[in-house]
Amino acid sequence: KNEVEQSPQNLTAQEGEFITINCSYSVGISALHWLQQHPGGGIVSLFMLSSGKKKHGRLIATINIQEKHSSLHITASHPRDSAVYICAVSYNTDKLIFGTGTRLQVFP
Amino acid sequence: DVKVTQSSRYLVKRTGEKVFLECVQDMDHENMFWYRQDPGLGLRLIYFSYDVKMKEKGDIPEGYSVSREKKERFSLILESASTNQTSMYLCATDLGLANYGYTFGSGTRLTVV
């Protein structure tokens, strides 16, 4: 069983919709990462957080340490947001454990 | 910004060939990682290195080896390529401080025929 569970696995949305992707993990962590992978493979780090909330443009990441849960929100979604979004966690080491990703497609 | 460069975007090799995947970073990052990514399985750690000539096995090291002779270069070696090693291979680096962000290369899609 993967230690990091993401939901949903696939998500389609109309341009402008508010999008939420969820990530749950099984034990206490030192940090949680949200990553974005576009077709072609390259991965970009979006957020790294260990508590609270971070915002960058239309992207918001939150984490609830007690519930072992994080969400990635995209406001006013756009077709260029179409990508795979990956949650990953670290446990006081430099190694990451990855979820299997959420494939998002935003249609105009 | 840190740049992580993987030498090939696409590679096709024959079963039994020795394959080298190269990864070069242009900053002084301590840690370098090799992952493979397969549908439904996410990214899985093959090997990582926390210093020159130092390496540690990840979750799926079988069939692979690595080399880190210089700090900026981390090579993944498939000693005798097999079809089950067809995958996307991603290199990543980080500064070596716990909870610091990662930087990924653009990936190499390897097909073994």
Side-chain angles (χ1 to χ4, degrees), chain A residues 2 9 29-33 35 37-45 48 50 84 86 90-101, chain B residues 9-10 31 33 35 37 40-45 48 56-59 88 90 94 96-107 109:
Chain A
N2 200 321
Q9 286 188 308
I29 61 171
S30 56
L32 184 141
H33 303 249
L35 310 165
Q37 185 175 31
H38 278 284
I43 294 178
V44 174
S45 179
M48 181 179 64
S50 52
V84 175
I86 302 170
S90 55
Y91 300 98
N92 282 327
T93 72
D94 295 301
K95 289 186 282 186
L96 291 181
I97 299 171
F98 294 84
T100 54
Chain B
R9 289 300 305 274
Y10 300 94
N31 293 352
F33 306 82
Y35 293 93
Q37 183 180 30
L41 297 176
L43 280 85
R44 294 178 292 166
L45 181 64
F48 72 102
E56 278 197 29
K57 293 180 180 179
D59 300 317
M88 168 69 89
L90 287 143
D94 90 283
L97 300 173
N99 302 332
Y100 197 83
Y102 278 59
T103 303
F104 285 84
S106 54
R109 189 167 292 281

Side-chain angles (χ1 to χ4, degrees), chain B residues 7-39:
Chain B
S7 53
S8 306
R9 289 300 305 274
Y10 300 94
L11 212 50
V12 180
K13 295 292 182 181
R14 294 194 180 278
T15 301
E17 275 193 78
K18 190 169 186 175
V19 182
F20 292 86
L21 302 183
E22 304 286 345
C23 176
V24 178
Q25 50 138 335
D26 66 358
M27 289 290 285
D28 206 27
H29 277 196
E30 304 288 338
N31 293 352
M32 297 186 76
F33 306 82
W34 275 107
Y35 293 93
R36 64 177 282 177
Q37 183 180 30
D38 300 288

Side-chain angles (χ1 to χ4, degrees), chain A residues 64-101:
Chain A
N64 185 316
I65 299 297
Q66 287 73 30
E67 295 185 5
K68 297 185 177 56
H69 180 268
S70 174
S71 294
L72 176 69
H73 304 287
I74 305 175
T75 61
S77 59
H78 190 276
R80 65 174 173 267
D81 297 325
S82 298
V84 175
Y85 292 85
I86 302 170
C87 172
V89 300
S90 55
Y91 300 98
N92 282 327
T93 72
D94 295 301
K95 289 186 282 186
L96 291 181
I97 299 171
F98 294 84
T100 54

